[in-house]
Amino acid sequence: MSEQQQAVLLLLAHPSQHRSEVNLPLFELAKTIPGVTTVDLYGEYPEFDIDIEREQQRLLAHDVVIFQFPLYWYSTPAILKEWQDLVLEYGFAYGTDGNALKGKRFFCAITAGGKEEAYQAEGYNHFTLKQLLAPLEQTASLTGMRYLPPFALFGARTAVEDGLMAQHLDEWRELLTALVAGKLNRRLAAKLEKLNGHLDQIITG
């Protein structure tokens, strides 16, 4: 694994930031990490008038792409789907000569309201988080990006009162810093269910 500086692009999709106890602190922390470009999609495109050329240029300029969002009805908030539909064009992200994203790393930073045990075959939601994220994993595959497991916080609705935020923010800072420094072991990371809780195993140096 090369330890070269990596440019990280973080795309936040949260339509109700005024009610966010988890995603907004994560996003604000990311702003303080040199080498991380932060984009609030709902803030920049309140009318969903996404600037395709601008977003494609952002992708070209970065080595790591992160989708940050709360899990909405087992999927992404609407603007992130719109972003994918418009920005990941044939001939740019896939198809003939569509190799602009090849080799870039991609993962999701997700918050889920339910507890982790709810996201199991026998649990309340009947599917694992990995299964629910399969469309995004396949998007990474089709576009030639190197997919990594999510950075996921379960039980997000009560994360603050349950005292989960301090550790989650610390791990988020550690992960972003390692990504920028090129110190994440992708092969080991790819074998995990989620990135957080295992940073000591996958960060080198």
Side-chain angles (χ1 to χ4, degrees):
M1 183 194 66
S2 174
E3 292 191 1
Q4 297 179 346
Q5 287 289 110
Q6 303 284 290
V8 177
L9 176 63
L10 175 64
L11 301 174
L12 170 68
H14 197 308
S16 305
Q17 290 185 33
H18 62 286
R19 294 190 291 135
S20 173
E21 294 184 326
V22 179
N23 276 283
L24 192 56
L26 290 171
F27 189 66
E28 292 298 324
L29 188 154
K31 290 180 180 179
T32 71
I33 308 294
V36 177
T37 300
T38 54
V39 179
D40 173 5
L41 290 177
Y42 277 101
E44 292 204 8
Y45 304 114
E47 304 298 326
F48 280 48
D49 52 342
I50 294 171
D51 186 333
I52 297 172
E53 175 65 22
R54 181 185 190 188
E55 296 304 314
Q56 289 180 347
Q57 289 303 313
R58 279 173 167 161
L59 288 171
L60 291 172
H62 293 83
D63 308 294
V64 181
V65 181
I66 306 171
F67 286 177
Q68 183 192 340
F69 60 94
L71 201 62
Y72 272 29
W73 284 104
Y74 312 110
S75 185
T76 68
I79 199 169
L80 195 47
K81 181 60 168 65
E82 179 79 349
W83 184 96
Q84 293 172 74
D85 291 344
L86 296 177
V87 177
L88 304 181
E89 292 181 309
Y90 182 89
F92 172 77
Y94 72 102
T96 305
D97 298 324
N99 57 4
L101 305 183
K102 186 176 181 179
K104 297 181 186 294
R105 298 185 189 184
F106 170 78
F107 70 93
C108 299
I110 296 177
T111 56
K115 301 295 184 181
E116 189 164 4
E117 55 266 26
Y119 292 89
Q120 304 296 331
E122 303 80 14
Y124 180 81
N125 293 307
H126 304 299
F127 294 92
T128 65
L129 186 58
K130 177 176 175 59
Q131 289 172 319
L132 294 173
L133 293 177
L136 290 170
E137 183 173 357
Q138 176 56 21
T139 295
S141 177
L142 181 64
T143 59
M145 291 191 288
R146 299 172 178 177
Y147 183 81
L148 294 175
F151 182 87
L153 178 67
F154 295 95
R157 292 191 188 94
T158 59
V160 174
E161 50 263 51
D162 291 344
L164 302 177
M165 280 305 296
Q167 179 179 349
H168 200 64
L169 286 168
D170 284 345
E171 287 195 300
W172 184 230
R173 179 186 294 105
E174 187 177 2
L175 176 60
L176 291 177
T177 301
L179 284 167
V180 171
K183 293 186 175 182
L184 190 76
N185 189 314
R186 184 181 63 84
R187 290 184 180 86
L188 290 179
K191 298 176 181 179
L192 302 172
E193 289 296 316
K194 61 179 183 178
L195 296 176
N196 43 311
H198 305 279
L199 297 186
D200 58 333
Q201 303 172 31
I202 59 178
I203 293 177
T204 64

